[in-house]
Amino acid sequence: MKRTWQLTSTAEGATFDLRFGYGVHTLGSGAGSDLRVSHPTVSRSHARLTCTDDGITVEDLGSTNGTAVDGTPVDGPVVVADHAALKVGGVIFELGPLQTDDAENRLFGLFLALVSLGHVNFRGTSFWTRFGRRTAPLVFSGYAVAVMTLILVGV
């Protein structure tokens, strides 16, 4: 299952809340950085975060003030556990998977299922009787989406 990751920090009155998914991301203060941190101790291209099915790998990109994971300086690619303290220059981030609420996901799935069924039933009259037999694929697809959504969400 693909995850969304989050870096959070409050440094000297500045709050950082960075979210990212799978792939290779550059963290730094420069305009070309995927994850931008405007702080005087963070280099333009400070660190590289690589997110895969195996987790996150952190690598310092030759920054001036260094990178550390759980207090240990990063001298090469370091695989990070699910939760870690990531120090980039003078900013300490809490790194971990973005927490999602299962109840929220189930409600959203139920909403999608109801919307799908709404496409099948239009003001109390099915598309089949209202618009004729040409819409049979539409009727089937609406029911299929509703059923599959309910199954995937586990409602």
Side-chain angles (χ1 to χ4, degrees), residues 120-143:
V120 174
N121 190 347
F122 182 73
R123 294 189 185 174
T125 307
S126 72
F127 273 98
W128 187 285
T129 59
R130 188 168 177 91
F131 297 108
R133 291 185 179 269
R134 293 180 306 207
T135 59
L138 178 65
V139 172
F140 174 74
S141 66
Y143 280 121

Side-chain angles (χ1 to χ4, degrees), residues 70-143:
D70 291 330
T72 305
V74 174
D75 292 329
V78 174
V79 178
V80 177
D82 275 355
H83 295 279
L86 177 65
K87 185 176 180 187
V88 179
V91 182
I92 299 173
F93 288 97
E94 182 181 327
L95 170 65
L98 181 65
Q99 299 298 316
T100 58
D101 184 6
D102 283 341
E104 208 173 87
N105 288 341
R106 287 179 186 221
L107 282 175
F108 182 68
L110 185 58
F111 170 74
L112 287 178
L114 292 173
V115 167
S116 300
L117 287 174
H119 288 292
V120 174
N121 190 347
F122 182 73
R123 294 189 185 174
T125 307
S126 72
F127 273 98
W128 187 285
T129 59
R130 188 168 177 91
F131 297 108
R133 291 185 179 269
R134 293 180 306 207
T135 59
L138 178 65
V139 172
F140 174 74
S141 66
Y143 280 121

